[in-house]
Amino acid sequence: VTTSIHPAAFIRVWDIAQARKVVISTAVREAMDSLHKLGKGRIPDGTLILPKIDGAHLKPARRLHKIVMGPIRGGKLAARNAAVTPEAELKAAAWLQTSQAQELVAGGAKVDSKGGRRRLAKKMVSVLGLSEAAALGLITKFKKKRIL
């Protein structure tokens, strides 16, 4: 017996459960992981009709990937975000305004280039005394805020 799971419905249930702070059972986590393991383009389409989500949102398959790589598998992203403190954010923002940081970013450590993100993180670790996880988390945060 095969069970077809509609990814968008699964995501909707996940979001509601998270909003209500419901503890997600191991069985649900395993089901989500097995759905994710099917791979991109192989996640089955369902026949459920869901209400439209207002505002910006990811496609269900992409959102499923983000959820699985984050809380389900105990992802690195949660650890990075937790490592970022407000003090570290202020310190890093001030450092990014210095000429040393400006030269580094302009001189090849572009955060979008291969290895550039890591190079910038290593420099932040050495100059600011942050952990590598915190430095990477700050880079992500600054990219989202369009500071980098």
Side-chain angles (χ1 to χ4, degrees):
V1 176
T2 7
T3 308
S4 178
I5 302 171
H6 191 286
F10 210 55
I11 299 301
R12 187 67 58 90
V13 170
W14 175 270
D15 288 340
I16 291 169
Q18 291 293 303
R20 293 182 182 168
K21 304 206 183 314
V22 173
V23 177
I24 307 296
S25 70
T26 306
V28 172
R29 290 176 183 272
E30 288 172 359
M32 200 162 221
D33 196 33
S34 66
L35 185 62
H36 179 257
K37 285 180 183 176
L38 292 175
K40 188 174 182 179
R42 294 195 182 113
I43 295 174
D45 287 330
T47 55
L48 295 175
I49 299 171
L50 299 169
K52 186 178 178 199
I53 299 172
D54 293 332
H57 63 280
L58 296 172
K59 291 183 179 176
R62 182 70 181 146
R63 179 89 165 88
L64 174 69
H65 172 75
K66 293 286 192 181
I67 290 170
V68 169
M69 297 313 287
I72 300 261
R73 291 190 183 166
K76 298 174 188 172
L77 295 178
R80 284 184 195 169
N81 292 338
V84 175
T85 62
E87 298 83 30
E89 187 177 350
L90 289 172
K91 200 159 84 169
W95 178 74
L96 281 172
Q97 300 305 316
T98 65
S99 59
Q100 180 188 19
Q102 293 295 327
E103 288 173 17
L104 181 68
V105 172
K110 299 205 184 307
V111 289
D112 292 332
S113 69
K114 186 174 183 175
R117 184 183 197 88
R118 290 271 177 204
R119 265 194 304 276
L120 185 58
K122 285 181 181 180
K123 190 65 172 180
M124 288 172 79
V125 167
S126 66
V127 172
L128 302 173
L130 302 171
S131 68
E132 189 172 350
L136 288 168
L138 282 168
I139 291 170
T140 300
K141 193 170 209 173
F142 290 151
K143 281 188 68 166
K144 285 181 181 176
K145 290 182 174 182
R146 300 191 187 275
I147 294 172
L148 284 176

PDB file of all heavy atoms in Angstrom, residues 123-148:
ATOM      1  N   LYS A 123      38.176  35.544   8.218  1.00  0.00           N
ATOM      2  CA  LYS A 123      38.711  36.856   8.574  1.00  0.00           C
ATOM      3  C   LYS A 123      37.947  37.431   9.772  1.00  0.00           C
ATOM      4  O   LYS A 123      38.541  38.000  10.686  1.00  0.00           O
ATOM      5  CB  LYS A 123      38.622  37.796   7.365  1.00  0.00           C
ATOM      6  CG  LYS A 123      39.367  39.079   7.554  1.00  0.00           C
ATOM      7  CD  LYS A 123      40.864  38.820   7.675  1.00  0.00           C
ATOM      8  CE  LYS A 123      41.627  40.123   7.675  1.00  0.00           C
ATOM      9  NZ  LYS A 123      43.054  39.918   7.798  1.00  0.00           N
ATOM     10  N   MET A 124      36.633  37.256   9.780  1.00  0.00           N
ATOM     11  CA  MET A 124      35.823  37.735  10.898  1.00  0.00           C
ATOM     12  C   MET A 124      36.192  37.000  12.187  1.00  0.00           C
ATOM     13  O   MET A 124      36.229  37.601  13.258  1.00  0.00           O
ATOM     14  CB  MET A 124      34.333  37.574  10.595  1.00  0.00           C
ATOM     15  CG  MET A 124      33.818  38.543   9.560  1.00  0.00           C
ATOM     16  SD  MET A 124      32.128  38.191   9.040  1.00  0.00           S
ATOM     17  CE  MET A 124      31.202  38.863  10.397  1.00  0.00           C
ATOM     18  N   VAL A 125      36.489  35.710  12.065  1.00  0.00           N
ATOM     19  CA  VAL A 125      36.896  34.920  13.233  1.00  0.00           C
ATOM     20  C   VAL A 125      38.199  35.471  13.802  1.00  0.00           C
ATOM     21  O   VAL A 125      38.330  35.686  15.007  1.00  0.00           O
ATOM     22  CB  VAL A 125      37.044  33.425  12.860  1.00  0.00           C
ATOM     23  CG1 VAL A 125      37.763  32.648  13.949  1.00  0.00           C
ATOM     24  CG2 VAL A 125      35.678  32.809  12.585  1.00  0.00           C
ATOM     25  N   SER A 126      39.175  35.729  12.914  1.00  0.00           N
ATOM     26  CA  SER A 126      40.477  36.184  13.398  1.00  0.00           C
ATOM     27  C   SER A 126      40.437  37.624  13.920  1.00  0.00           C
ATOM     28  O   SER A 126      41.046  37.937  14.930  1.00  0.00           O
ATOM     29  CB  SER A 126      41.538  36.035  12.307  1.00  0.00           C
ATOM     30  OG  SER A 126      41.262  36.900  11.232  1.00  0.00           O
ATOM     31  N   VAL A 127      39.706  38.501  13.249  1.00  0.00           N
ATOM     32  CA  VAL A 127      39.685  39.908  13.645  1.00  0.00           C
ATOM     33  C   VAL A 127      38.753  40.149  14.834  1.00  0.00           C
ATOM     34  O   VAL A 127      39.107  40.877  15.763  1.00  0.00           O
ATOM     35  CB  VAL A 127      39.273  40.806  12.450  1.00  0.00           C
ATOM     36  CG1 VAL A 127      39.059  42.234  12.883  1.00  0.00           C
ATOM     37  CG2 VAL A 127      40.325  40.736  11.357  1.00  0.00           C
ATOM     38  N   LEU A 128      37.569  39.556  14.793  1.00  0.00           N
ATOM     39  CA  LEU A 128      36.553  39.849  15.807  1.00  0.00           C
ATOM     40  C   LEU A 128      36.491  38.832  16.949  1.00  0.00           C
ATOM     41  O   LEU A 128      35.787  39.040  17.930  1.00  0.00           O
ATOM     42  CB  LEU A 128      35.177  39.950  15.151  1.00  0.00           C
ATOM     43  CG  LEU A 128      35.041  40.995  14.040  1.00  0.00           C
ATOM     44  CD1 LEU A 128      33.696  40.881  13.369  1.00  0.00           C
ATOM     45  CD2 LEU A 128      35.265  42.384  14.585  1.00  0.00           C
ATOM     46  N   GLY A 129      37.186  37.701  16.780  1.00  0.00           N
ATOM     47  CA  GLY A 129      37.173  36.681  17.822  1.00  0.00           C
ATOM     48  C   GLY A 129      35.854  35.935  17.940  1.00  0.00           C
ATOM     49  O   GLY A 129      35.483  35.489  19.010  1.00  0.00           O
ATOM     50  N   LEU A 130      35.154  35.789  16.825  1.00  0.00           N
ATOM     51  CA  LEU A 130      33.884  35.059  16.816  1.00  0.00           C
ATOM     52  C   LEU A 130      34.129  33.592  16.518  1.00  0.00           C
ATOM     53  O   LEU A 130      35.186  33.219  16.015  1.00  0.00           O
ATOM     54  CB  LEU A 130      32.965  35.624  15.726  1.00  0.00           C
ATOM     55  CG  LEU A 130      32.613  37.101  15.789  1.00  0.00           C
ATOM     56  CD1 LEU A 130      31.899  37.506  14.516  1.00  0.00           C
ATOM     57  CD2 LEU A 130      31.749  37.386  16.992  1.00  0.00           C
ATOM     58  N   SER A 131      33.136  32.764  16.777  1.00  0.00           N
ATOM     59  CA  SER A 131      33.209  31.371  16.324  1.00  0.00           C
ATOM     60  C   SER A 131      32.901  31.357  14.827  1.00  0.00           C
ATOM     61  O   SER A 131      32.289  32.294  14.301  1.00  0.00           O
ATOM     62  CB  SER A 131      32.193  30.512  17.079  1.00  0.00           C
ATOM     63  OG  SER A 131      30.878  30.872  16.708  1.00  0.00           O
ATOM     64  N   GLU A 132      33.319  30.291  14.150  1.00  0.00           N
ATOM     65  CA  GLU A 132      33.061  30.217  12.714  1.00  0.00           C
ATOM     66  C   GLU A 132      31.566  30.148  12.434  1.00  0.00           C
ATOM     67  O   GLU A 132      31.069  30.755  11.484  1.00  0.00           O
ATOM     68  CB  GLU A 132      33.775  29.019  12.083  1.00  0.00           C
ATOM     69  CG  GLU A 132      33.698  29.037  10.573  1.00  0.00           C
ATOM     70  CD  GLU A 132      34.551  27.989   9.901  1.00  0.00           C
ATOM     71  OE1 GLU A 132      35.363  27.338  10.578  1.00  0.00           O
ATOM     72  OE2 GLU A 132      34.397  27.810   8.689  1.00  0.00           O
ATOM     73  N   ALA A 133      30.829  29.442  13.295  1.00  0.00           N
ATOM     74  CA  ALA A 133      29.372  29.349  13.121  1.00  0.00           C
ATOM     75  C   ALA A 133      28.739  30.730  13.227  1.00  0.00           C
ATOM     76  O   ALA A 133      27.858  31.084  12.438  1.00  0.00           O
ATOM     77  CB  ALA A 133      28.771  28.404  14.158  1.00  0.00           C
ATOM     78  N   ALA A 134      29.190  31.522  14.204  1.00  0.00           N
ATOM     79  CA  ALA A 134      28.642  32.870  14.378  1.00  0.00           C
ATOM     80  C   ALA A 134      28.986  33.752  13.179  1.00  0.00           C
ATOM     81  O   ALA A 134      28.143  34.518  12.700  1.00  0.00           O
ATOM     82  CB  ALA A 134      29.177  33.502  15.659  1.00  0.00           C
ATOM     83  N   ALA A 135      30.207  33.627  12.678  1.00  0.00           N
ATOM     84  CA  ALA A 135      30.624  34.433  11.520  1.00  0.00           C
ATOM     85  C   ALA A 135      29.787  34.088  10.293  1.00  0.00           C
ATOM     86  O   ALA A 135      29.305  34.982   9.582  1.00  0.00           O
ATOM     87  CB  ALA A 135      32.104  34.220  11.234  1.00  0.00           C
ATOM     88  N   LEU A 136      29.575  32.804  10.051  1.00  0.00           N
ATOM     89  CA  LEU A 136      28.758  32.386   8.902  1.00  0.00           C
ATOM     90  C   LEU A 136      27.307  32.828   9.080  1.00  0.00           C
ATOM     91  O   LEU A 136      26.647  33.245   8.129  1.00  0.00           O
ATOM     92  CB  LEU A 136      28.845  30.875   8.705  1.00  0.00           C
ATOM     93  CG  LEU A 136      30.176  30.379   8.156  1.00  0.00           C
ATOM     94  CD1 LEU A 136      30.277  28.867   8.277  1.00  0.00           C
ATOM     95  CD2 LEU A 136      30.377  30.813   6.715  1.00  0.00           C
ATOM     96  N   GLY A 137      26.806  32.740  10.310  1.00  0.00           N
ATOM     97  CA  GLY A 137      25.446  33.205  10.590  1.00  0.00           C
ATOM     98  C   GLY A 137      25.302  34.698  10.343  1.00  0.00           C
ATOM     99  O   GLY A 137      24.296  35.161   9.801  1.00  0.00           O
ATOM    100  N   LEU A 138      26.321  35.460  10.721  1.00  0.00           N
ATOM    101  CA  LEU A 138      26.290  36.910  10.491  1.00  0.00           C
ATOM    102  C   LEU A 138      26.334  37.243   9.009  1.00  0.00           C
ATOM    103  O   LEU A 138      25.633  38.150   8.550  1.00  0.00           O
ATOM    104  CB  LEU A 138      27.459  37.582  11.211  1.00  0.00           C
ATOM    105  CG  LEU A 138      27.277  37.759  12.714  1.00  0.00           C
ATOM    106  CD1 LEU A 138      28.583  38.150  13.362  1.00  0.00           C
ATOM    107  CD2 LEU A 138      26.197  38.777  12.999  1.00  0.00           C
ATOM    108  N   ILE A 139      27.135  36.502   8.254  1.00  0.00           N
ATOM    109  CA  ILE A 139      27.206  36.732   6.811  1.00  0.00           C
ATOM    110  C   ILE A 139      25.838  36.497   6.180  1.00  0.00           C
ATOM    111  O   ILE A 139      25.365  37.290   5.367  1.00  0.00           O
ATOM    112  CB  ILE A 139      28.296  35.855   6.161  1.00  0.00           C
ATOM    113  CG1 ILE A 139      29.675  36.347   6.612  1.00  0.00           C
ATOM    114  CG2 ILE A 139      28.187  35.871   4.646  1.00  0.00           C
ATOM    115  CD1 ILE A 139      30.812  35.425   6.246  1.00  0.00           C
ATOM    116  N   THR A 140      25.178  35.417   6.589  1.00  0.00           N
ATOM    117  CA  THR A 140      23.839  35.126   6.078  1.00  0.00           C
ATOM    118  C   THR A 140      22.871  36.250   6.445  1.00  0.00           C
ATOM    119  O   THR A 140      22.105  36.723   5.606  1.00  0.00           O
ATOM    120  CB  THR A 140      23.324  33.789   6.652  1.00  0.00           C
ATOM    121  OG1 THR A 140      24.229  32.760   6.262  1.00  0.00           O
ATOM    122  CG2 THR A 140      21.930  33.470   6.160  1.00  0.00           C
ATOM    123  N   LYS A 141      22.942  36.685   7.691  1.00  0.00           N
ATOM    124  CA  LYS A 141      22.047  37.747   8.159  1.00  0.00           C
ATOM    125  C   LYS A 141      22.302  39.045   7.397  1.00  0.00           C
ATOM    126  O   LYS A 141      21.367  39.732   6.978  1.00  0.00           O
ATOM    127  CB  LYS A 141      22.266  37.964   9.655  1.00  0.00           C
ATOM    128  CG  LYS A 141      21.232  38.783  10.323  1.00  0.00           C
ATOM    129  CD  LYS A 141      21.424  38.730  11.826  1.00  0.00           C
ATOM    130  CE  LYS A 141      20.095  38.912  12.503  1.00  0.00           C
ATOM    131  NZ  LYS A 141      20.167  38.725  13.933  1.00  0.00           N
ATOM    132  N   PHE A 142      23.567  39.385   7.177  1.00  0.00           N
ATOM    133  CA  PHE A 142      23.912  40.610   6.464  1.00  0.00           C
ATOM    134  C   PHE A 142      23.510  40.532   4.985  1.00  0.00           C
ATOM    135  O   PHE A 142      23.134  41.525   4.392  1.00  0.00           O
ATOM    136  CB  PHE A 142      25.397  40.927   6.594  1.00  0.00           C
ATOM    137  CG  PHE A 142      25.805  41.359   7.978  1.00  0.00           C
ATOM    138  CD1 PHE A 142      27.074  41.120   8.449  1.00  0.00           C
ATOM    139  CD2 PHE A 142      24.912  42.002   8.829  1.00  0.00           C
ATOM    140  CE1 PHE A 142      27.467  41.520   9.712  1.00  0.00           C
ATOM    141  CE2 PHE A 142      25.280  42.403  10.103  1.00  0.00           C
ATOM    142  CZ  PHE A 142      26.568  42.162  10.550  1.00  0.00           C
ATOM    143  N   LYS A 143      23.587  39.323   4.401  1.00  0.00           N
ATOM    144  CA  LYS A 143      23.138  39.179   3.020  1.00  0.00           C
ATOM    145  C   LYS A 143      21.632  39.385   2.930  1.00  0.00           C
ATOM    146  O   LYS A 143      21.144  40.035   2.006  1.00  0.00           O
ATOM    147  CB  LYS A 143      23.502  37.793   2.473  1.00  0.00           C
ATOM    148  CG  LYS A 143      24.946  37.675   2.053  1.00  0.00           C
ATOM    149  CD  LYS A 143      25.196  36.391   1.357  1.00  0.00           C
ATOM    150  CE  LYS A 143      24.476  36.426   0.039  1.00  0.00           C
ATOM    151  NZ  LYS A 143      24.826  35.424  -0.913  1.00  0.00           N
ATOM    152  N   LYS A 144      20.889  38.853   3.901  1.00  0.00           N
ATOM    153  CA  LYS A 144      19.439  39.032   3.901  1.00  0.00           C
ATOM    154  C   LYS A 144      19.065  40.499   4.066  1.00  0.00           C
ATOM    155  O   LYS A 144      18.084  40.967   3.494  1.00  0.00           O
ATOM    156  CB  LYS A 144      18.787  38.199   5.007  1.00  0.00           C
ATOM    157  CG  LYS A 144      18.733  36.727   4.693  1.00  0.00           C
ATOM    158  CD  LYS A 144      18.071  35.974   5.804  1.00  0.00           C
ATOM    159  CE  LYS A 144      18.031  34.488   5.492  1.00  0.00           C
ATOM    160  NZ  LYS A 144      17.467  33.718   6.601  1.00  0.00           N
ATOM    161  N   LYS A 145      19.856  41.227   4.855  1.00  0.00           N
ATOM    162  CA  LYS A 145      19.603  42.654   5.067  1.00  0.00           C
ATOM    163  C   LYS A 145      20.227  43.515   3.958  1.00  0.00           C
ATOM    164  O   LYS A 145      20.144  44.731   4.018  1.00  0.00           O
ATOM    165  CB  LYS A 145      20.180  43.096   6.413  1.00  0.00           C
ATOM    166  CG  LYS A 145      19.448  42.544   7.602  1.00  0.00           C
ATOM    167  CD  LYS A 145      20.062  43.071   8.879  1.00  0.00           C
ATOM    168  CE  LYS A 145      19.285  42.671  10.089  1.00  0.00           C
ATOM    169  NZ  LYS A 145      19.854  43.231  11.328  1.00  0.00           N
ATOM    170  N   ARG A 146      20.886  42.855   3.005  1.00  0.00           N
ATOM    171  CA  ARG A 146      21.548  43.516   1.875  1.00  0.00           C
ATOM    172  C   ARG A 146      22.674  44.457   2.319  1.00  0.00           C
ATOM    173  O   ARG A 146      22.931  45.478   1.689  1.00  0.00           O
ATOM    174  CB  ARG A 146      20.548  44.242   0.995  1.00  0.00           C
ATOM    175  CG  ARG A 146      19.506  43.304   0.411  1.00  0.00           C
ATOM    176  CD  ARG A 146      18.697  43.971  -0.666  1.00  0.00           C
ATOM    177  NE  ARG A 146      17.605  43.131  -1.102  1.00  0.00           N
ATOM    178  CZ  ARG A 146      17.700  42.187  -2.018  1.00  0.00           C
ATOM    179  NH1 ARG A 146      18.833  41.940  -2.594  1.00  0.00           N
ATOM    180  NH2 ARG A 146      16.650  41.484  -2.368  1.00  0.00           N
ATOM    181  N   ILE A 147      23.311  44.103   3.423  1.00  0.00           N
ATOM    182  CA  ILE A 147      24.500  44.835   3.863  1.00  0.00           C
ATOM    183  C   ILE A 147      25.698  44.334   3.071  1.00  0.00           C
ATOM    184  O   ILE A 147      26.612  45.077   2.760  1.00  0.00           O
ATOM    185  CB  ILE A 147      24.701  44.672   5.380  1.00  0.00           C
ATOM    186  CG1 ILE A 147      23.544  45.349   6.119  1.00  0.00           C
ATOM    187  CG2 ILE A 147      26.036  45.258   5.820  1.00  0.00           C
ATOM    188  CD1 ILE A 147      23.528  45.103   7.608  1.00  0.00           C
ATOM    189  N   LEU A 148      25.689  43.042   2.744  1.00  0.00           N
ATOM    190  CA  LEU A 148      26.737  42.431   1.909  1.00  0.00           C
ATOM    191  C   LEU A 148      26.191  42.128   0.538  1.00  0.00           C
ATOM    192  O   LEU A 148      25.072  41.813   0.344  1.00  0.00           O
ATOM    193  CB  LEU A 148      27.229  41.125   2.546  1.00  0.00           C
ATOM    194  CG  LEU A 148      28.154  41.272   3.726  1.00  0.00           C
ATOM    195  CD1 LEU A 148      28.459  39.909   4.306  1.00  0.00           C
ATOM    196  CD2 LEU A 148      29.445  41.942   3.333  1.00  0.00           C
TER     197      LEU A 148
END
